[in-house]
Amino acid sequence: MVVLDQLVKAAVRPRLGLFDSVTVIPGFFSLTRVHNTGAAFGLMNAVDVPFKTVLMALVQTTALVGLAIYAATLAPGQWLTRVGLSFVIGGALGNLIDRVYAGYVLDFFDFYWGGWHFWAFNIADASITIGVALMVLDLLGVGHS
C-alpha cells in the first residue's frame, strides 16, 4: 500500500497545483489537490502551532509503534485483523512519508453531491479505512471457524 500510495501521489503532484481540480464524474467525483497539515479528515488543519509538522509526525510515529506492538501480540488465527493492521500500517506509513518530506499530506480524491463535499482523501487514507473495516469484521466474528 505504501508503494501504491506514493506512486499515485507522485503522479498527482506535477499534474495538479494546490486547489486545482479535474472533473472525473460531473456532480460526483473530481481529483482536487489539497494539503492536509492536520490529522484525519482535516482535523487541526486550521490550527497553527509551532513545530506542527514535527508534532504531527511524532504522534503518527507513536501510533505506528503502538500498532506494531499490537500486531506482534495477535494469535496466528487472527488473520483478518492481521490483514487489516497491514492495511492500516501501510496507509499510515504512506501519509507519514508525505508529512516528513513535504510538511503536509497530499489528498486529492474529492467526492461530492451538490454543495456537499466529503473530506478529500488519498490511497493511504482508503487503505486505513479498509484496514479498520477488516478489523471490525474480525471483532464481529466474520471469518472465525
Side-chain angles (χ1 to χ4, degrees), residues 13-14 24 27 41 89 94 104 110 112 114 121 125 128 130 135 145:
R13 277 188 183 93
V24 177
F41 306 115
I89 291 170
Y104 59 85
D110 179 20
Y112 52 94
F121 63 98
D125 298 330
I128 292 167
I130 291 166
M135 293 168 65
S145 303

Side-chain angles (χ1 to χ4, degrees), residues 1-141:
M1 292 314 293
V2 176
V3 172
L4 177 62
D5 174 65
Q6 290 299 304
L7 286 174
V8 172
K9 288 173 179 172
V12 168
R13 277 188 183 93
R15 289 171 176 81
L16 288 176
L18 184 59
F19 304 121
D20 284 350
S21 188
V22 174
T23 300
V24 177
I25 301 172
F28 182 69
F29 174 57
S30 295
L31 296 175
T32 304
R33 181 175 177 163
V34 296
H35 295 173
N36 181 357
T37 61
F41 306 115
L43 295 173
M44 295 179 51
N45 220 9
V47 175
D48 190 22
V49 295
F51 307 106
K52 180 179 177 181
T53 299
V54 173
L55 178 64
M56 294 302 297
L58 286 173
V59 168
Q60 225 173 331
T61 301
T62 303
L64 276 167
V65 169
L67 287 171
I69 291 168
Y70 173 61
T73 68
L74 293 173
Q78 290 182 277
W79 63 271
L80 201 52
T81 295
R82 288 179 178 277
V83 171
L85 271 173
S86 70
F87 274 77
V88 171
I89 291 170
L93 280 171
N95 282 340
L96 180 60
I97 290 168
D98 278 13
R99 192 172 306 284
V100 168
Y101 288 104
Y104 59 85
V105 174
L106 175 63
D107 291 327
F108 46 86
F109 292 130
D110 179 20
F111 287 90
Y112 52 94
W113 188 264
W116 179 84
H117 286 254
F118 188 74
W119 296 276
F121 63 98
N122 58 42
I123 300 282
D125 298 330
S127 178
I128 292 167
T129 302
I130 291 166
V132 169
L134 291 173
M135 293 168 65
V136 169
L137 288 173
D138 187 57
L139 283 172
L140 295 174

